[in-house]
Amino acid sequence: DPQSRRIFTTDALGKKVHIIDASNPARLLNVGVIDVAAFGAPNSVAVNDGLVAIAIQAGDKVSPGKVGFYTTSGQLLTTVTVGSLPDMQTFAPNGRTVLVANEGEPNSYGQPGSIDPVGSVSLIRISGSSRGKHSHRSFQVKTLDFSGWNGKQAELRAQGIRIYGPGASVAQDLEPEYIAVSEDSRTAFVTLQ
């Protein structure tokens, strides 16, 4: 984050995000942590204009995840619920939307108790004041999935799309992995594994 001159790194095993002071690049200092253990484990962190967004996987990976919003000093502002296994997130260049790739990976295939959640993309719209007044912001979430393609496996395969999960619908089999957003913040490109 150029504003605070801090670097934020995920530590999934420790269930935290490290805050590193980079004001002197020759002497990086760990100045704190953001503990997200109460929500799960962090998979991704992104920062824009002093606002830190952390994609947090639920403990069982198939339940809905969260995105936690924090100040650059680590103060929790709010959390919002997103799809299963939020694997990656990014701010749109205009800073008004966070896009989250919710992988929706199954816990197993064909085993007793198998759960295969749908893959999805969450759009978190950020509105309100900025520049140090994060407490006046609001965060609205809309999660989109691929259920509109269910039952169209043959059509998708004919186009070269790989659908192969045992017994999985299209919505379950498509797993968003990474998102890139155009410079004008109007178009998102999502890779699916």
Side-chain angles (χ1 to χ4, degrees):
D1 175 49
Q3 186 178 345
S4 65
R5 302 182 83 182
R6 291 183 169 188
I7 297 170
F8 299 84
T9 62
T10 60
D11 174 359
L13 292 177
K15 298 183 180 181
K16 57 190 165 194
V17 170
H18 292 274
I19 304 171
I20 300 166
D21 182 345
S23 56
N24 178 357
R27 190 168 175 257
L28 300 177
L29 297 172
N30 193 342
V31 294
V33 296
I34 300 171
D35 184 346
V36 300
F39 309 114
N43 278 337
S44 177
V45 62
V47 184
N48 180 273
D49 193 26
L51 182 63
V52 180
I54 303 172
I56 306 167
Q57 167 187 328
D60 64 9
K61 102 174 178 177
V62 296
S63 295
K66 301 248 183 236
V67 172
F69 290 93
Y70 297 81
T71 65
T72 54
S73 61
Q75 177 188 1
L76 175 64
L77 301 171
T78 194
T79 62
V80 297
T81 301
V82 294
S84 173
L85 191 57
D87 198 32
M88 179 273 173
Q89 67 181 348
T90 188
F91 279 89
N94 66 12
R96 293 189 296 240
T97 305
V98 173
L99 295 93
V100 187
N102 304 306
E103 191 170 350
E105 182 179 290
N107 60 355
S108 66
Y109 282 116
Q111 302 298 314
S114 290
I115 299 172
D116 188 358
V118 299
S120 61
V121 175
S122 293
L123 306 171
I124 305 168
R125 302 263 183 212
I126 304 167
S127 58
S129 60
S130 62
R131 306 255 185 239
K133 298 177 185 172
H134 298 294
S135 61
H136 296 100
R137 289 189 174 188
S138 65
F139 304 86
Q140 287 92 30
V141 183
K142 182 172 187 167
T143 298
L144 310 168
D145 65 31
F146 303 94
S147 58
W149 293 98
N150 287 344
K152 299 179 182 180
Q153 284 87 329
E155 177 185 334
L156 294 170
R157 285 185 180 117
Q159 296 176 40
I161 297 171
R162 187 175 177 207
I163 307 291
Y164 70 96
S169 67
V170 173
Q172 290 171 310
D173 204 45
L174 295 179
E175 299 176 352
E177 184 69 23
Y178 196 85
I179 302 172
V181 183
S182 62
E183 248 182 76
D184 65 2
S185 299
R186 296 176 56 102
T187 306
F189 302 88
V190 181
T191 60
L192 305 173
Q193 69 174 16

